[in-house]
């Protein structure tokens, strides 16, 4: 049974090795899942570099999310799961970059029949996009949502879910070809960040303002969007891709009473009632199965090519996500 193991924090290509061990046996309350697809997310790369919020004791299994089929059930585990396709909740404990993994049955969720690649990306980015739109601030039909790094997987999912809710999106990207892509994907306004982004945003919005800003980037791009928030509008930081603060000004805070807050999915998974987690995943899985939600796939790799896979996932200018797939 082949699986990736993190032995030290640093450059992922040098910090991970491919191990081959006997198939694990599910204990009481556990199931054995044969993994079909497992995404490589920015958070996985950060975790391997030792820069993420989660920092497991080493050596550690790696890979946070994935989809697969339940092959065996231990005593006390729901035997109804046998043969079912499930996603593994992204607790960062099991290491989905493996041919087979043992997981407590309460940490898998059955999913409908749909493309395994899309299901292998369900538990992090779609949930994040859904909660950013519905869980942090009040946004109404016809309101504008502004976002940076809008061609990321989260950004594309925000566009799709915002359209379903009747919100308009103002999207900022750093590449012209990505802008065209997002227009095709339904972004209402798409801007390429440039020296006068704030002016471009004002021109596009006319008399209107943003109700919500979603920012995984930081720096001047985020500041330009925050400057266009309405009175008591909300800005949510959910990543730090360029590692710079957004530069929210004191006047933004005291004169326009902008709400400046953050979001981390790990908090939701560790505090939300299990019922809410299951119903949220069921709702999003149904949208994936219906074809209403999808994320472009840039490439898939076998586990043995993990170095190439990490380099590819870390590269800018990708057209979609990079995943591991398994024979
Ligand atoms: N807080 C949470 O709970 C949570 C949950 C999920 C994701 N996230 C965060 O959300 C962000 C997006 O995740 P994802 O999986 O959707 O990403 P992704 O699909 O891998 O896409 C990465 C995006 O970041 C852009 N980007 C990277 N470096 C950049 C830079 N220096 N300047 C401008 N743009 C840059 C890329 O633009 P190009 O296409 O031009 O290269 C691309 O749009 C990540 O920071 C991730 O950690 C946070």
């Amino acid at each position: 049974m082949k699986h990736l193991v993190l032995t030290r924090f640093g450059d992922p290509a040098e910090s991970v090795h491919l191990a081959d061990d006997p198939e694990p046996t599910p204990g009481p309350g556990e199931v054995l899942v044969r993994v079909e697809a497992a995404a490589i997310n920015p958070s996985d790369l950060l975790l391997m570099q030792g820069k993420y919020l989660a920092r497991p004791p080493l050596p550690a299994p790696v890979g946070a999310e994935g989809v697969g089929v339940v092959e065996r059930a231990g005593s006390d585990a729901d035997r109804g799961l046998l043969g079912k396709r499930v996603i593994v909740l992204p607790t960062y404990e099991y290491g989905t970059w493996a041919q087979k993994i043992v997981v407590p049955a309460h940490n898998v969720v059955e999913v409908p029949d749909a493309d395994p690649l899309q299901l292998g990306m369900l538990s992090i980015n779609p949930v994040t996009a859904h909660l950013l739109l519905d869980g942090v601030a009040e946004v109404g039909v016809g309101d504008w949502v502004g976002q940076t790094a809008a061609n990321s997987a989260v950004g594309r999912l925000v566009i799709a879910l915002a359209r379903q809710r009747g919100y308009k999106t103002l999207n900022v990207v750093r590449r012209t070809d990505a802008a065209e892509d997002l227009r095709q994907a339904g972004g209402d306004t798409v801007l390429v960040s440039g020296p006068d982004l704030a002016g471009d945003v004002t021109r596009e919005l006319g008399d209107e303002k943003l109700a919500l800003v979603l920012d995984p980037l930081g720096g001047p791009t985020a500041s330009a969007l925050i400057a266009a928030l309405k009175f008591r509008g909300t800005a949510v930081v959910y990543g730090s891709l360029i590692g710079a603060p957004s530069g929210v000004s004191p006047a933004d805070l005291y004169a326009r009473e902008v709400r400046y807050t953050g979001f981390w999915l790990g908090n939701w998974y560790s505090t939300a009632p299990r019922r809410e987690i299951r119903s949220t995943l069921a709702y999003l899985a149904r949208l994936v199965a219906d074809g209403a939600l999808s994320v472009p796939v840039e490439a898939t790799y076998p586990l043995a090519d993990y170095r190439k896979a990490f380099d590819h996932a870390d590269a800018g200018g990708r057209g979609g996500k990079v995943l591991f797939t398994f024979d």
Side-chain angles (χ1 to χ4, degrees):
M1 193 283 294
K2 296 199 171 68
H3 59 120
L4 294 181
V5 181
L6 181 70
T7 50
R8 64 187 166 96
F9 295 109
D11 174 4
E14 304 308 322
S15 308
V16 160
H17 79 266
L18 182 64
D20 195 357
D21 287 311
E23 180 174 303
T25 304
E30 295 177 332
V31 290
L32 178 78
V33 178
R34 173 175 53 79
V35 183
E36 296 175 293
I40 305 174
N41 286 305
S43 52
D44 295 309
L45 299 171
L46 289 172
L47 183 143
M48 291 184 284
Q49 291 160 359
K51 297 178 186 167
Y52 195 54
L53 298 161
R55 198 179 160 96
L58 301 178
V62 261
E65 65 175 346
V67 66
V69 175
V70 175
E71 284 195 335
R72 293 173 65 192
S75 62
D76 300 335
D78 177 5
R79 299 192 64 75
L81 285 169
L82 284 170
K84 297 284 168 51
R85 180 171 281 152
V86 295
I87 55 166
V88 177
L89 298 190
T91 63
Y92 294 90
E93 289 165 289
Y94 313 114
T96 54
W97 298 343
Q99 289 175 314
K100 306 215 177 175
I101 52 173
V102 163
V103 187
H106 63 257
N107 277 340
V108 301
V109 175
E110 190 180 335
V111 283
D113 194 27
D115 178 1
L117 294 181
Q118 293 298 325
L119 293 172
M121 303 185 275
L122 183 80
S123 65
I124 293 187
N125 289 332
V127 180
T128 298
H130 169 72
L131 295 173
L132 285 171
L133 284 174
D134 283 2
V136 188
E138 274 188 25
V139 184
V141 171
D143 280 348
W144 280 98
V145 176
Q147 57 170 345
T148 62
N151 67 315
S152 66
V154 174
R156 287 170 177 276
L157 292 156
V158 161
I159 291 172
L161 292 171
R163 281 185 84 79
Q164 292 197 347
R165 288 155 172 74
Y167 312 156
K168 294 179 284 191
T169 57
L170 184 145
N171 303 281
V172 181
V173 296
R174 60 175 171 175
R175 297 183 286 118
T176 313
D177 51 339
E180 196 39 51
D181 236 32
L182 282 199
R183 287 185 193 104
Q184 301 290 333
D188 293 289
T189 292
V190 188
L191 297 171
V192 180
S193 50
D196 187 23
L197 179 62
D200 296 340
V201 170
T202 307
R203 260 189 303 283
E204 287 294 332
L205 289 174
D207 292 338
E208 299 188 82
K209 294 276 183 192
L210 301 173
L212 175 67
V213 167
L214 305 176
D215 175 42
L217 200 60
T221 311
S223 303
L225 291 188
I226 291 168
L229 271 173
K230 68 178 187 183
F231 182 71
R232 291 194 182 149
T234 302
V236 188
V237 175
Y238 70 96
S240 54
L241 282 164
I242 60 174
S246 299
V248 58
S249 73
D252 288 332
L253 295 172
Y254 68 70
R256 290 190 299 116
E257 297 186 15
V258 159
R259 315 275 160 97
Y260 190 57
T261 185
F263 170 84
W264 184 45
L265 186 63
N267 291 332
W268 183 75
Y269 270 115
S270 57
T271 59
R274 197 46 64 120
R275 200 177 53 253
E276 181 185 331
I277 292 175
R278 287 184 180 277
S279 66
T280 301
L281 289 167
Y283 160 71
L284 294 165
R286 179 44 53 203
L287 292 179
V288 167
D290 292 347
L293 274 194
S294 71
V295 171
V297 172
E298 164 88 353
T300 63
Y301 288 89
L303 273 191
D305 287 344
Y306 66 90
R307 289 193 175 89
K308 280 191 211 158
F310 293 157
D311 276 355
H312 202 162
D314 201 25
R318 277 180 286 110
K321 294 302 268 188
V322 177
L323 297 95
F324 287 115
T325 51
F326 306 81
D327 292 332

